[in-house]
Every structure is written in C-alpha cells, then in structure tokens.
Amino acid sequence: MDSWRFVYEDYQPDQEGLREALCTLGNGYFATRGAAPDSAADGVHYPGTYLAGGYNRLKTKIAGREVENEDLVNLPNWLPLTFRIDDGEWFRIDQVEILSCRQELDLKSGLLHRDLRFRDGQGRTTRWRERRLVSMADPHLAGLAVELRAEDWSGRLTVRSALDGSVTNSGVERYRDLANQHLETLELDHPDPDTMFLRVRTNQSLIQVAQAARTRLYRDGTELDAQRRHQADRDRISQEITMPLSAGEGVVVEKILALYCSLDQAISEPGLAARHALSAAGRFDDLLTAHALVWKHLWEDGDIRLEEQTRGESGLKLRVHIFHLLQTVSFHTADRDVGVPARGWHGEAYRGHIFWDELFIFPFLTLRMPVLTRALLRYRYRRLPEARRAAQEAGYAGAMYPWQSGSTGREETQRLHLNPHSGRWLPDNSQRQHHINAAIAYNIWSYCQATDDHEFLYYYGAEMLLEIARFWASIATHNEALDRYEIKGVMGPDEYHTAYPDRDPEAEGGLDNNAYTNIMAAWVLSRALDVLEMLPKFHGHMLCERIGLRPEEVELWHEISRKIRVPFHDGGIISQFEGYGDLKEFDWTGYKKKYGDIQRLDRILEAEEDTPNRYKVSKQADVLMLFYLFSADELKLLFEQLGYPFAYDTIPRNVDYYLARTSHGSTLSQIAHSWVLARSDRAGSWDLFQRALDSDIADIQGGTTPEGIHVGAMAGTIDLVQRCYLGIEMRANILHFDPSLPADLGCLKVRLRYRRQILAVEADHDLLKISSCAFTANLVTVAYRGRFHQVAPGDSCQFRLLKPGERDRDENRARQGKTVLP
Ligand code: BGC
C-alpha cells in the first residue's frame, strides 16, 4: 500500500461489514457504506445510506416498558446493480468462484475501486471493474461506473439497476428487538426511460427523501441503445437493460444518483430538485473531475506529513482517519443543522447521536478548518432553549445539555440497553454524564482562543458558556462542615461506575464529587468570569440583561470556582470520585486469563451477576482526562486556585495509578492515555497511539466498527500527532509549541490556521520551523519554552529544540521558579 491507497487484496465474507464501514463514501451531507452493489442486508452485507442529521423516532415495548429511540435512518439503497447472462441467476458475489478481488480506497481523490474476476456455475468468466464516488463537489450527487467484460462467453447480458426503499434499520445486532421500520414509500416512477425515481418519508419526523437515478450503458464512449424493462413494486423500483455481448467484449454501466431531502435549502421540493439535478449531471468522469479537485483542495488544508523511522503505516492510517473525518463533517455540513456524530454517518451504532466526543474531534478541525467547528458549535447553540428546559425540569438553573443529542437536543440516551453477554435488558444511566456540559464550554473557549472570533463569542459562545456556568453553580451544593462545594449523583467519563456498590443505580444512582467533573466545573466558572470581562461593556450588559444574570450569581461563581471539592486518597492520588479509594482492587490477571479480551468488563461482570461498581476499574480515562485537556502549568494554577497541593509528581503518580486500572473499553481511552504518556514515556505513548490508529482499521473492539467508525478516536489520533507531539497549547493569546516526537517519528509537517494566519509548521528532533503563508495583516505570537517570536504574515522563524539533558535542566529551573512542567 502506498500512503494514499487503502487496499484489500481478497474477499472475506466475515470481514465484509468492517470493510463496508471503512470504505464508506460520504460528503458531510450523506454517506453510503462500501457494500457490494449486488448485495442486500443478509448478515454478511449491510448496504446503508444515511443523511447527516436524518433522524426518526420510534417506540418499542421491551422488557415490560415502552421506550422511544431516535435513530439515524437507513435511507433507500441506491446501489443495487447486478447482471445475468441469458436466463441465468442474477450475479451475487457470494455465489461465484472468485478468481481475484481487489478493493481500493483511493484517499487522494475519494474514489472506491472494486475489481473482481469470477467464474459462475457454468464456468463463464467475467470481470467487474467498479469505480464509485459520493461527490464532494456537489453533495447531492453520487455515481457508480462498472466495466463488465465477458472474458470467455457470449450471450445476452441483462443489467438490473434499482432503488430499494424496502430497507430497515437492522445494522446493529443489539438493536434488532427494537422497532426499525422508519420509512414509508410515497412515490415510484420512471420519469424517463433511463431514469428511476423514488420518494420516501420518515414516518415520525416526516423528512422526505427523493432519489433519482439514471442508468446508461456505454461502449467506447458511445451510449448504447439497449432494450429496457421497467418494474416497480411497493417500495422498490428497478429496470432491466438487455443487450448482446460477445467473448472479449466489455460494456460500461453508469449509474448516477441525485439525492435531495425536505431539509435542504434553496429548493422547492426534493423530488423536483433531484430530477432537475440529475438531468443536469454529466457522466461519471465529469462528476469525478469536479470531485477529485475538491478532494485535492481538502488535502491541502487537512493533510499531515510524517516521516517514520521504521517502515510503519502510520501515515496511511492517519490519512484514512482524516478522510473519514472530512466525509463526516465537510463544507456541506457547515450550512446544515447537524452535529458531529460519534460513529460517523457510516452505520447505525449509537443511532447517529452526538456525544462529548466533540472534545476529541474539534481541536483538529479548529486548527485546520475553523469554519466547521463554528458550524458544529452552532448546532449546540440552536439547542440552547432545550438545554435550558432540561435544566429547569431537573431543578437546576442555566442550561443542561444532554449526554446524547439528536434532532432537537432533548436527552436521547436510550433508557434500556442490551447486554449481549447476559441477554438482559438493563437500565442505561449514562445520561448522568453531565460533564458533557464542561466539554461544550471547553470547546467554545478553545475555538475562540484559536480563532479570536469575537463575533461568535458575542452572538453565540458567551451565552452558552454563561448558561452552562449557571448550571454548574446550581448543581453544586455547599458542604458547611468542609466549607467546600460538592456535586453529587453524577457519572464521570468512566461509564463503568454508575452508582455506589450498595445502591440501586437507577433509583439512587451516580457518584459524588467526580474529580474530573468538579475540576471542569471550576474551570468553566472561571472562564465564564473571564468571558464577562472580555465582552465589550455594552454587549456584556445586554447579554446579562437578556439572560437575567444577577451580580450575586456571578459572586457565587467566583466562590465555587475557588472552593469546589476534589477528593484524594493514598496521599496524592486524585480520587476518581469520593469513596473510590475504598473500592476493591480487581483481579486483572485472573479475568484476562479467563476471558482474554476484557475491554468490556461491564458486560462481563453483569453477566456474572457482579458489577464494576464494586471495583477500582475504569472503562476509560476519567481523572486522566484532566491531563489530556490541560497542561501541567494550567492544572497547577487550577489546583492552587482551589487550595489543593499540586506536587511535581502528581501527574506521573496518577497516570501510573489509573493506567493500571483501565480496561480501554472505549476507543477514546487510548487517545487520552497516549497523550498523557507523551512526555514521560514516549515509547509507551507511541504504542498506545499505534493501537488507537488500529481502533477501526483492525476493529480492535472485535465487532463494533462494522456498526460505524469511531470518529472521536480517528480525529483524536490526528490531533495527537499534531497538537500533542508538537506540544501545541493556546494560552493567553500565544501559540505555544513544545515538540517532543517519539523516536519512531523522524519529522512532522502540518499547516495550521491560527488567528487568521496560515502557518506551515515543521518539526524534527532538532528544529522547529514556523513560516507564515501571507494571508492577512495580523501578527501572531508563537513560543517555544518561554522563547517568544512575533510572526507577521509572510514571516518565518525557527527554534533549536533542547536536547533531553538540556530539557531536564530547563525543567528544573522552571520547577524552582514558578512553573512546573511535566
Ligand atoms: C464512551 C463514551 C463515548 C461514546 C460515544 C462510549 O463507549 O464511553 O465516552 O462518548 O462511546 O463514542
């Protein structure tokens, strides 16, 4: 494989689901899994097409309760394309003898190739060379071009092309007992001899989706005048195109799709728009030219160039990650009311919902295409009224954003989930993860730091941040005895702990004083106070008046941000939550021996009628998230503000402690852990980074990727290389760098956007070079370990990087002075 081509050299039915997810093509408006065009959902294949933000709600009676889930709807399958010879069987990849098979995702131009040679039951050999795209140039267009060649037979070739609206949501085994019929067909038509038209509507959210597809046959560039037969049944429309083919001859079949929906802008109605767009669309190669050009430009903004010392494939894997991130969120997303889903628009896992994973996704976008972060933050802004309502209903002030968000911003976390190990439906308490609110505030703050986008802050960001601060102030209660503020009954990022061992997780669930939540709440309150200072006086005044913010509230924020409680145990270990230190140690060796893969210890223990609530076990980074989000300097200030000691060894001690007690049950876990090890254990960090790179590519969770990629882990790896290994930190209007490349990485080149400048940054083990590509007249300040440089547009500067011995001396000096470095 070169570092632009992601290739499979064979066909393996048991890997098909995974490959479909990884070969999904999308453009931020819609996405189609890389399923074979001749396939249907049958346990091996799962063709799926999803619209960004295309949700629908359905109710199901399960385990004695009625639950309502909002799902990302599987739209009509536009791929169906197959053929037969004379009156033989229709071609299905699973029913022929495969002579060769090569599937290649060309990342540079966003093209999927599937090249097959096969022999059918009657010994006839055929070659199928397919190219596929979902246009990045025009988000409503997609296309298939298949060259069919009769190698050693002559006969009547019939090609069948269809649009299939009979699909359901059945891509996730665990959800199969839940209602899954989201579509009703409204219209099937053949408006032209070569065109099929299908209009469906989601049955609750009433989103209309129209697909128009044109199928034509060509030889030597000339369209063939073939005989056509049209068919339509309840939910499916098809056409059969027949022509003679002789041995050695080939024919090219092109299927071009136009897809519109009733949520689209600048249209009259989706059906008209789809037919109109199709009639204006050129041939496949015309679509490809425009599409490849947009991808070329996207890579100019988005690529990362690595020189690996060993012959690794990190460069290719990172590009696969960038590719899928940009297919999930693109410029076509920017104008739409959608968030960034944890599992991409690549499958049905987590129902297309939006979680705190934005925290791992935004940093890369913000430093490359800030307009996308801005658009995604506006998704949150539009749901501020719903977050306010949620806070009010729960008895709090301000805005309480949901753990899982979909169409309206109400809490979409499922009420019940299935443990596939035990077969039991269990209450899902994860909506107690109010820390999502801190993540949203953190994202707003970081976006503003990186872009200096005052307009966003004035009109959207400040209001959200202040309302979130209000929520934290109202959920915190004062402990008179300690004169500290506490937050009770919540869950931290570690989803294994839902309640204290002796309590019912549903009725009296949650934990007290989750350190991550409390410290983040203090940070949010401090930033809210900063924001009030930063706003122009008249604007701040208007905002406070509009949201009715009273001076005594602001005073309380100040007080809580200095007095929130952080629990500790074992002399300096930050307790994940109050009482964590009293839990039992877990038998890691015994369980690894017994079960092998223990990433999902929650499911294993529940099936044994036990619970992780009793043990010191974490699914993913919780306390350690603090070291992921903040530099040592920043954390030290936060701890000092709260009146807690922050010793030099606080970070390494806590890292060692929690790393030994984490099962990495979430793909986000490797990212956070690799990050926190980057300075102290570069080899360990690189190992975890490699594992994170493989999260989806090797499906390390054993079966989750076919249900959708993990966008947080994908974006997290890119951000790790960029921000963590370059040591980027945006603080006090300065862009700090502190590169520390792992031994395996020789050199790293990126192009960043920072405060209206474009900076080309290159680092190896000796030198950091920063050059500004002329853009605007803004000066920006960059720094390397206390050495500052003002960069004007067109300027460049370089810093000689300290050798390890020099770094130690530098750090000792810093330790004796005011700052502490990790
Ligand atoms: C993780 C969460 C994450 C969610 C979606 C869960 O398994 O525990 O932290 O937000 O997946 O990616």
Side-chain angles (χ1 to χ4, degrees):
M1 294 200 214
D2 74 23
S3 59
W4 287 104
R5 292 170 199 282
F6 185 63
V7 180
Y8 296 107
E9 298 278 6
D10 56 7
Y11 172 65
Q12 289 187 31
D14 61 339
Q15 294 291 306
E16 198 52 16
L18 173 62
R19 294 178 183 184
E20 286 175 354
L22 290 171
C23 292
T24 296
L25 296 179
N27 55 24
Y29 171 67
F30 81 99
T32 296
R33 288 165 64 85
D38 56 272
S39 70
D42 59 3
V44 171
H45 307 274
Y46 192 73
T49 289
Y50 306 95
L51 178 75
Y55 299 111
N56 189 60
R57 294 174 180 168
L58 290 179
K59 293 190 173 124
T60 313
K61 275 222 158 67
I62 197 115
R65 296 196 201 179
E66 184 176 74
V67 293
E68 184 179 67
N69 287 308
E70 182 168 85
D71 281 276
L72 176 68
V73 177
N74 184 16
L75 298 184
N77 183 15
W78 66 272
L79 294 176
L81 191 72
T82 185
F83 74 97
R84 69 174 172 184
I85 306 166
D86 300 329
D87 295 324
E89 294 284 305
W90 291 105
F91 162 68
R92 299 276 320 257
I93 188 167
D94 301 292
Q95 284 163 2
V96 293
E97 180 196 351
I98 309 255
L99 302 174
S100 71
C101 174
R102 188 169 191 279
Q103 182 162 324
E104 174 189 311
L105 188 58
D106 170 355
L107 303 166
K108 203 177 239 168
S109 43
L111 199 59
L112 178 65
H113 298 265
R114 292 177 71 252
D115 195 351
L116 303 168
R117 273 186 75 236
F118 47 85
R119 193 173 292 136
D120 66 17
Q122 288 160 53
R124 294 172 296 199
T125 314
T126 309
R127 181 150 190 193
W128 171 288
R129 290 174 77 181
E130 173 190 333
R131 292 177 302 154
R132 183 188 304 186
L133 63 81
V134 170
S135 176
M136 209 31 120
D138 181 334
H140 301 281
L141 297 181
L144 272 175
V146 179
E147 187 197 329
L148 271 173
R149 186 164 293 277
E151 291 204 354
D152 52 10
W153 54 267
S154 300
R156 186 162 33 89
L157 171 81
T158 304
V159 170
R160 187 173 69 193
S161 176
L163 295 174
D164 184 4
S166 70
V167 297
T168 58
N169 268 51
S170 30
V172 178
E173 180 76 38
R174 293 181 305 289
Y175 302 166
R176 287 209 182 140
D177 289 344
L178 301 167
N180 65 1
Q181 198 87 46
H182 292 279
L183 295 177
E184 54 190 5
T185 299
L186 300 181
E187 201 182 335
L188 295 160
D189 190 16
H190 276 103
D192 286 309
D194 59 8
T195 304
M196 297 174 287
F197 178 77
L198 170 65
R199 187 199 297 272
V200 295
R201 183 171 57 195
T202 55
N203 51 20
Q204 174 275 329
S205 55
L206 305 181
I207 304 172
Q208 270 197 32
V209 176
Q211 294 184 348
R214 182 181 71 211
T215 313
R216 287 183 184 160
L217 269 54
Y218 299 88
R219 182 173 298 142
D220 303 327
T222 311
E223 191 185 340
L224 296 174
D225 187 19
Q227 199 191 326
R228 291 176 189 259
R229 217 179 105 219
H230 297 148
Q231 282 169 324
D233 59 24
R234 224 170 62 105
D235 303 304
R236 189 183 151 101
I237 182 157
S238 62
Q239 52 179 250
E240 292 175 11
I241 313 161
T242 305
M243 56 166 293
L245 202 63
S246 309
E249 267 183 355
V251 60
V252 173
V253 187
E254 285 192 8
K255 182 172 185 182
I256 306 292
L257 168 85
L259 186 155
Y260 276 79
C261 76
S262 51
L263 302 173
D264 291 341
Q265 295 160 6
I267 62 163
S268 156
E269 61 90 8
L272 204 59
R275 286 194 292 249
H276 183 65
L278 188 69
S279 65
R283 286 195 54 183
F284 184 88
D285 281 336
D286 301 321
L287 264 59
L288 176 58
T289 307
H291 168 76
L293 180 67
V294 179
W295 267 111
K296 177 173 168 277
H297 293 164
L298 279 175
W299 283 114
E300 279 168 22
D301 273 337
D303 197 18
I304 279 189
R305 278 183 288 151
L306 307 177
E307 271 172 30
E308 281 183 86
Q309 306 290 64
T310 47
R311 274 183 50 84
E313 288 188 331
S314 310
L316 170 69
K317 291 175 186 173
L318 275 174
R319 283 187 175 137
V320 170
H321 289 187
I322 296 171
F323 183 75
H324 283 299
L325 176 62
L326 297 180
Q327 293 199 114
T328 306
V329 206
S330 80
F331 294 98
H332 305 301
T333 320
D335 257 357
R336 307 189 73 82
D337 178 30
V338 293
V340 56
R343 305 299 289 274
W345 312 115
H346 294 54
E348 292 157 19
Y350 286 135
R351 307 186 163 88
H353 292 169
I354 292 97
F355 295 66
W356 76 317
D357 303 40
E358 291 172 336
L359 201 52
F360 297 82
I361 298 167
F362 286 178
F364 175 75
L365 295 179
T366 303
L367 283 169
R368 298 302 189 104
M369 302 168 195
V371 64
L372 299 183
T373 311
R374 190 186 214 264
L376 295 165
L377 286 171
R378 293 200 55 211
Y379 164 85
R380 293 295 191 181
Y381 182 75
R382 287 185 210 100
R383 284 146 186 84
L384 185 57
E386 185 59 39
R388 285 193 179 109
R389 260 193 296 278
Q392 202 181 18
E393 269 168 31
Y396 304 122
M400 182 175 89
Y401 278 93
W403 172 238
Q404 294 188 27
S405 183
S407 62
T408 61
R410 74 166 195 192
E411 180 59 81
E412 297 295 351
T413 303
Q414 56 191 349
R415 295 289 144 179
L416 295 175
H417 68 249
L418 178 72
N419 178 0
H421 293 342
S422 66
R424 279 189 283 268
W425 284 91
L426 307 158
D428 190 320
N429 298 302
S430 53
Q431 74 275 9
R432 289 181 188 272
Q433 290 186 73
H434 300 311
H435 64 83
I436 175 99
N437 289 281
I440 294 171
Y442 184 94
N443 292 335
I444 295 167
W445 182 260
S446 309
Y447 167 78
C448 292
Q449 278 289 314
T451 58
D452 206 20
D453 183 348
H454 289 277
E455 294 302 299
F456 175 81
L457 187 68
Y458 298 165
Y459 289 104
Y460 312 108
E463 189 177 347
M464 285 192 274
L465 214 142
L466 298 182
E467 289 290 35
I468 290 173
R470 261 184 162 164
F471 162 70
W472 287 122
S474 71
I475 195 175
T477 50
H478 190 233
N479 178 328
E480 301 286 338
L482 298 173
D483 190 21
R484 285 270 177 197
Y485 285 86
E486 303 188 308
I487 298 179
K488 297 188 168 183
V490 300
M491 277 171 63
D494 162 31
E495 300 187 329
Y496 282 177
H497 289 99
T498 54
Y500 286 99
D502 50 348
R503 296 198 200 150
D504 169 8
E506 216 181 348
E508 348 157 68
L511 303 141
D512 301 340
N513 295 315
N514 170 258
Y516 171 72
T517 306
N518 284 15
I519 292 172
M520 289 306 287
W523 181 88
V524 172
L525 293 168
S526 306
R527 296 299 75 81
L529 294 168
D530 290 348
V531 161
L532 288 175
E533 296 289 315
M534 282 156 66
L535 292 175
K537 241 193 172 54
F538 78 96
H539 195 98
H541 178 74
M542 286 194 299
L543 179 57
C544 292
E545 209 168 54
R546 184 148 53 85
I547 66 172
L549 188 67
R550 289 163 288 116
E552 50 285 18
E553 285 185 82
V554 179
E555 267 167 46
L556 183 64
W557 294 0
H558 189 271
E559 160 133 341
I560 301 175
S561 70
R562 271 139 188 89
K563 286 194 181 168
I564 209 151
R565 184 161 169 214
V566 180
F568 293 88
H569 66 276
D570 292 357
I573 298 298
I574 304 167
S575 305
Q576 190 172 305
F577 48 82
E578 202 183 327
Y580 179 91
D582 304 329
L583 300 179
K584 286 167 77 158
E585 288 291 358
F586 184 68
D587 175 14
W588 291 93
T589 323
Y591 270 78
K592 271 186 197 148
K593 212 161 140 196
K594 187 165 168 198
Y595 290 98
D597 177 2
I598 57 166
Q599 289 178 96
R600 290 307 300 262
L601 264 181
D602 52 339
R603 291 179 177 164
I604 293 176
L605 288 173
E606 194 279 329
E608 289 185 348
E609 312 219 339
D610 198 350
T611 161
N613 283 332
R614 297 175 56 219
Y615 305 101
K616 289 178 176 140
V617 290
S618 298
K619 178 180 181 187
Q620 64 202 87
D622 194 305
V623 166
L624 300 192
M625 277 304 295
L626 294 168
F627 310 144
Y628 171 71
L629 294 178
F630 300 113
S631 68
D633 285 351
E634 220 172 338
L635 266 183
K636 184 166 188 280
L637 290 176
L638 254 173
F639 273 67
E640 277 171 6
Q641 175 179 316
L642 292 169
Y644 290 114
F646 191 79
Y648 168 64
D649 62 355
T650 297
I651 295 184
R653 276 196 66 202
N654 279 277
V655 169
D656 288 350
Y657 184 90
Y658 284 107
L659 205 50
R661 290 167 179 79
T662 304
S663 79
H664 301 303
S666 160
T667 54
L668 299 176
S669 195
Q670 268 99 3
I671 304 289
H673 285 104
S674 171
W675 193 290
V676 301
L677 285 179
R679 306 273 140 172
S680 58
D681 173 4
R682 288 200 233 178
S685 164
W686 185 251
D687 283 351
L688 281 170
F689 167 67
Q690 292 297 327
R691 207 165 150 69
L693 277 181
D694 281 335
S695 291
D696 282 323
I697 291 174
D699 190 18
I700 58 171
Q701 290 194 327
T704 60
T705 305
E707 303 167 347
I709 56 158
H710 297 79
V711 184
M714 286 197 167
T717 53
I718 319 165
D719 187 39
L720 231 157
V721 172
Q722 180 168 292
R723 261 191 330 137
C724 179
Y725 291 152
L726 284 179
I728 292 181
E729 198 192 336
M730 289 167 283
R731 209 154 25 96
N733 302 331
I734 296 168
L735 182 62
H736 296 265
F737 290 87
D738 188 8
S740 172
L741 304 192
D744 298 73
L745 207 58
C747 175
L748 187 59
K749 290 183 196 164
V750 299
R751 204 156 84 163
L752 307 179
R753 255 169 215 238
Y754 177 70
R755 300 196 165 203
R756 290 182 284 282
Q757 282 226 25
I758 297 182
L759 303 175
V761 180
E762 185 177 334
D764 57 19
H765 291 262
D766 303 313
L767 211 59
L768 166 68
K769 291 191 214 158
I770 302 168
S771 14
S772 147
C773 315
F775 191 35
T776 66
N778 272 56
L779 279 179
V780 296
T781 309
V782 298
Y784 168 64
R785 296 178 84 86
R787 296 138 184 99
F788 298 89
H789 193 99
Q790 285 214 317
V791 186
D795 243 12
S796 53
C797 64
Q798 59 183 46
F799 299 95
R800 187 183 69 79
L801 302 180
L802 300 185
K803 300 271 172 244
E806 295 173 310
R807 281 178 77 98
D808 290 346
R809 280 196 294 282
D810 204 52
E811 276 165 24
N812 278 335
R813 261 200 308 275
R815 225 172 288 139
Q816 282 152 16
K818 278 216 270 3
T819 46
V820 171
L821 297 164

